[in-house]
Amino acid sequence: GVGKSTLLNALAGDELAATSELRPCTSIPTVYHPPGAQLDFATDTHSVSGSALENLVIVDTPDSDTIAKAHRESVVHVLEKCDLIMMCADPEKYLDEATWSLLRPLQNERTIVCIETKASQVPSVEEHWRARLAEEGFHPAQYFRVNSPHTFDRKLSGGAVTEEEYD
């Protein structure tokens, strides 16, 4: 519900993942990959070959704060296979304990990048989020603020990058 699938579409420049403004859409981890990629993910994932990703493999996961135990367990299994974790959160969910509890076991084993989604809606939570990350022992490699719907629309239309897209 924070815009992970919308961010994926913006990165790919193509509508690969289903999105909704009302409810989270991803119910099982979905692996988006270039055609012909050989992957070693668990059987509880969905695989989508998308040429728009070129050399990237991106896994879109269900929300970490889900009440569905199977969703959470599948996220744990997928995170074990990832080299980079893009921790996506909006200004309402960046302090969510469910997400932190998933990432604590991996914090010194994986590179983590923080992505503040829905950046155009409110002032940035970056300072507070970084302080909480430091308290928890996390040291993200990068921090980004994005307006994924704007980026996706711009890529589809072939327009130029604007100030409304990124910090």
Side-chain angles (χ1 to χ4, degrees):
V2 299
K4 295 181 301 294
S5 298
T6 303
L7 175 62
L8 176 120
N9 288 341
L11 290 170
D14 197 1
E15 194 167 359
L16 299 177
T19 62
S20 170
E21 292 182 24
L22 304 176
R23 296 193 52 122
C25 288
T26 308
S27 60
I28 64 169
T30 305
V31 182
Y32 295 89
H33 58 86
Q38 300 296 315
L39 305 170
D40 182 28
F41 282 94
T43 57
D44 60 344
T45 61
H46 179 64
S47 179
V48 176
S49 177
S51 60
L53 293 176
E54 297 181 16
N55 296 316
L56 294 175
V57 174
I58 299 178
V59 183
D60 190 7
T61 63
D63 280 359
S64 57
D65 65 348
T66 180
I67 59 170
K69 186 177 179 181
H71 288 187
R72 186 170 171 81
E73 289 172 358
S74 67
V75 172
V76 169
H77 293 298
V78 166
L79 290 178
E80 292 171 353
K81 301 276 187 181
C82 296
D83 297 320
L84 171 74
I85 298 172
M86 297 186 325
M87 182 178 178
C88 299
D90 65 17
E92 294 178 5
K93 292 179 117 179
Y94 72 101
L95 298 177
D96 183 72
E97 177 57 32
T99 301
W100 296 85
S101 68
L102 284 171
L103 296 178
R104 279 186 194 105
L106 301 172
Q107 70 188 43
N108 295 317
E109 298 176 15
R110 302 290 186 279
T111 300
I112 297 176
V113 171
C114 292
I115 302 174
E116 181 183 335
T117 58
K118 304 179 184 179
S120 64
Q121 293 182 356
V122 294
S124 178
V125 296
E126 179 178 358
E127 185 177 325
H128 190 251
W129 196 6
R130 281 185 179 272
R132 283 299 306 276
L133 286 162
E135 288 172 18
E136 293 283 338
F138 287 90
H139 306 285
Q142 288 287 327
Y143 188 102
F144 299 97
R145 291 185 81 220
V146 297
N147 178 341
S148 299
H150 185 81
T151 302
F152 182 59
D153 290 344
R154 190 242 334 140
K155 283 187 172 183
L156 288 181
S157 68
V161 176
T162 69
E163 291 178 9
E164 296 170 357
E165 196 167 337
Y166 308 100
D167 251 1

